[in-house]
Amino acid sequence: ASAGARRAAGLTADAALRAAAGHLNADVGATAARPALRPGETRLAAAGLATDATLREVYYRAPDGSLTRAWEVSLDAIGQPDWWLVTVSAATGAELARHSLTVHEEAVPASGAPLAVPTTRTAALPGVVSLTARPTAASYRVYPRPVENPTFSPTPPPGDGRAVVTGTESALASPFGWHDTNGADGPEFTTTQGNNVHAYTDTDANNAPDADSSPDGGAGLVFDFPVDFAQAPAAYRPAAVTNLFWWNNTIHDVLYEYGFTEAAGNFQVNTYGRGGTGNDDVRAESQDGSGTNNANFSTPADGQRPRMQMFVGTNHPVNVDGSFNNTTITHEYSHGISNRLTGGPSNASCLQNSEQMGEGWSDFFALMMTALPTDRPEQPRAYGAWYYNNPVGIRPSPYSTSFAVNSFTDQRTRTAVAPHGVGFIWATILWEATQDMIAAHGFSADIYNAGGMAGNQMMLRLVVEGLKLQPCGPGFIDGRDAILAADALLYPDAAAPGRGRHYTTLWTAFARRGLGASASQGSPSSNADNTEAFDFPMPPPTLGITATSVTGAARAGTST
């Protein structure tokens, strides 16, 4: 029997679910018990839910410190734009707390005078040197990494700048390919469905696939469908869903190398016996009918399927499809990464405080997945420019190390709008540190090599490890210190025990943007009480980092 059924008094799990749904004006309908995902949890299926609800008996701590027996209910109701975590009294069903597990995109007005942002940033698919590709005949016509969006392809719209790519299925991260679920040779699906993601359209916004909306590549797994940007997005849905499928799988495979594995709570149907809880591939919904000019990602706890919703953009003379905006796909997927890694995969609600930096990590991963060897630190990177038809993007300013372009420092969070404005400042700080790491150690297009010695490779690894190390409900200082701790853990400096080899580089970058040694984040529950500082904690060590001291132990995770 469930924990609720064993109660001598108080609400059962079914009654708690109905109480929580009632607070959302949702009707769950008839319920049925399902096997629990983890000890102490109750799982209920219902006709009014897009996915099973999970419930836990908890103690809720009120603002005055008193404790109340409660049910914590995770429910994704059909017709609701958000997936909710609702806490209700176990005695009365009264609502005690509510948190959304869905993170929406949002356009933040740019500040200052208009800037000249490059309109061309053409990229070709680089060699993925360290990728051990799984032998496969599958091919996909897409805008491949690191192409940011159709504008920056070799043939921008109205032309078709996509390329047919093969051999990008990682033998490590996806050992049986992208169309597998049973862990045996041979695909279970010839459509855009597999172990890591199921991509389709949801034009009627019922949180379920439209009929036959996952394009079929046939026995040869050939996903090659036409696109014509002179037409409305409805005319090229198979092409859009294919791009969405390829990018979700690619992000999965790349970030697997950096530590977002099964045991860390990644998104897979089959975990292949490598830890974690399965049956939680991403539901990637293209041309979702619940909105426009937006995108979102819902992240439940490990073992429940997350949902990505990509919308049509209406800011162009002819509407465009967000499923071709690769930075937005990466941004949304990365909300799943930061939510699963912060506080552990069974706790997906650690990024609810005002100073949390979820939007910043998502922008960071989007920038990194589309970075080019020809990029320069001061070069403006405008997030969301193509999709929103805004040359400077949808952040307060483009990302750049030039203070003439982006002058934001830590204390600007006091007037920033949470979460997007706050996240933008965190991403600005991460971008500063990234560019200093690249200046010191170079750039590698081989993004699959998490043990590589290039600055971008090491920074990606530090950020992922930092997400695992930081506390639940982090602020900027917590995030900074977690990255410094990750450096000491992954790249220990034998000459200075307790420090990482990139201590000076990282501290210098953090201090430049206001996260110096004497900076204070105040309460992480507020983004208006921090105090910035630009001081370095101590004189740089006499043993510096030089170009000739970088070792060739690419997979050893060491640098000098």
Side-chain angles (χ1 to χ4, degrees):
S2 71
R6 293 195 303 268
R7 278 185 178 279
L11 299 182
T12 64
D14 180 89
L17 172 59
R18 295 181 186 281
H23 295 307
L24 301 173
N25 296 317
D27 181 11
V28 298
T31 64
R34 297 285 300 277
L37 297 172
R38 53 188 62 84
E41 193 170 76
T42 301
R43 187 177 174 203
L44 297 173
L49 300 177
T51 190
D52 295 345
T54 59
L55 301 93
R56 295 191 305 158
E57 290 185 275
V58 299
Y59 281 96
Y60 171 75
R61 185 182 296 277
D64 64 3
S66 61
L67 297 177
T68 303
R69 292 177 67 185
W71 282 100
E72 183 184 77
V73 186
S74 172
L75 72 158
D76 180 19
I78 293 174
Q80 291 277 341
D82 285 34
W83 186 324
W84 291 100
L85 191 68
V86 183
T87 304
V88 298
S89 165
T92 66
E95 182 176 344
L96 301 175
R98 181 191 306 189
H99 296 298
S100 175
L101 299 179
T102 303
V103 184
H104 297 267
E105 186 56 275
E106 181 181 319
V108 178
S111 62
L115 298 167
V117 178
T119 57
T120 58
R121 192 170 164 271
T122 303
L125 185 68
V128 283
V129 181
S130 67
L131 172 66
T132 302
R134 183 184 183 276
T136 178
S139 62
Y140 311 86
R141 186 176 292 276
V142 296
Y143 288 104
R145 194 198 64 80
V147 175
E148 185 174 327
N149 59 57
T151 301
F152 297 142
S153 69
T155 308
D160 181 1
R162 296 174 301 158
V164 174
V165 293
T166 60
T168 53
E169 298 170 293
S170 168
L172 173 64
S174 301
F176 296 93
W178 288 347
H179 300 270
D180 169 79
T181 52
N182 69 355
D185 286 336
E188 278 67 74
F189 301 95
T190 60
T191 59
T192 50
Q193 182 172 0
N195 203 48
N196 310 323
V197 58
H198 180 194
Y200 50 86
T201 64
D202 180 23
T203 57
D204 59 1
N206 69 344
N207 297 339
D210 297 331
D212 301 319
S213 66
S214 294
D216 198 325
L221 299 176
V222 177
F223 295 87
D224 190 350
F225 305 101
V227 66
D228 181 355
F229 287 108
Q231 300 186 56
Y236 49 79
R237 286 172 180 161
V241 173
T242 296
N243 197 76
L244 187 61
F245 179 79
W246 188 90
W247 268 87
N248 270 264
N249 277 294
T250 297
I251 299 163
H252 167 277
D253 286 6
V254 169
L255 270 298
Y256 192 102
E257 299 277 350
Y258 289 86
F260 190 46
T261 61
E262 297 93 345
N266 75 351
F267 310 124
Q268 293 183 193
V269 176
N270 191 331
T271 62
Y272 302 130
R274 299 191 286 200
T277 306
N279 297 313
D280 60 353
D281 57 313
V282 175
R283 293 172 291 158
E285 300 177 346
S286 181
Q287 298 188 21
D288 191 272
S290 63
T292 58
N293 303 318
N294 212 321
N296 64 54
F297 198 91
S298 301
T299 313
D302 194 19
Q304 292 179 276
R305 299 179 70 196
R307 183 179 67 235
M308 175 187 292
Q309 294 182 318
M310 305 298 295
F311 300 145
V312 168
T314 63
N315 293 316
H316 291 251
V318 179
N319 291 350
V320 299
D321 192 322
S323 296
F324 288 124
N325 203 61
N326 299 329
T327 47
T328 300
I329 297 171
T330 307
H331 175 103
E332 299 305 331
Y333 191 105
S334 298
H335 280 302
I337 298 171
S338 60
N339 276 292
R340 284 277 174 96
L341 293 184
T342 304
S346 295
N347 184 6
S349 58
C350 275
L351 299 180
Q352 299 287 341
N353 56 304
S354 292
E355 201 176 326
Q356 62 89 6
M357 303 88 84
E359 294 295 336
W361 286 302
S362 284
D363 274 12
F364 168 79
F365 285 118
L367 292 170
M368 296 296 276
M369 286 290 291
T370 55
L372 302 176
T374 53
D375 288 340
R376 295 293 175 261
E378 69 282 356
Q379 175 183 333
R381 293 287 308 273
Y383 178 81
W386 171 74
Y387 180 55
Y388 288 91
N389 197 22
N390 181 348
V392 297
I394 59 170
R395 300 294 182 246
S397 77
Y399 291 107
S400 169
T401 60
S402 168
F403 275 68
V405 175
N406 181 337
S407 61
F408 286 79
T409 57
D410 172 59
Q411 201 152 310
R412 294 284 291 276
T413 60
R414 288 190 173 197
T415 55
V417 178
H420 291 84
V422 172
F424 156 75
I425 295 172
W426 177 245
T428 293
I429 295 169
L430 289 182
W431 197 237
E432 193 82 19
T434 299
Q435 295 306 319
D436 279 11
M437 288 286 286
I438 291 172
H441 301 285
F443 178 93
S444 174
D446 182 9
I447 200 171
Y448 288 87
N449 185 5
M453 311 311 293
N456 58 317
Q457 294 165 330
M458 291 189 285
M459 193 65 193
L460 263 174
R461 196 172 178 207
L462 291 173
V463 168
V464 172
E465 195 67 24
L467 286 167
K468 297 178 182 181
L469 295 174
Q470 68 188 6
C472 188
F476 277 34
I477 298 298
D478 295 321
R480 179 201 68 187
D481 291 349
I483 290 173
L484 291 165
D487 188 39
L489 178 68
L490 299 174
Y491 309 102
D493 186 349
R499 297 183 188 173
R501 298 179 185 269
H502 311 104
Y503 180 88
T504 301
T505 301
L506 293 170
W507 262 116
T508 300
F510 287 136
R512 191 182 303 126
R513 290 287 177 170
L515 283 185
S518 56
S520 169
Q521 69 186 18
S523 169
S525 297
S526 172
N527 61 290
D529 62 352
N530 60 313
T531 302
E532 66 184 13
F534 302 90
D535 53 330
F536 192 85
M538 62 173 293
T542 56
L543 180 62
I545 300 172
T546 65
T548 57
S549 66
V550 177
T551 71
R555 290 290 182 181
T558 60
S559 71
T560 55

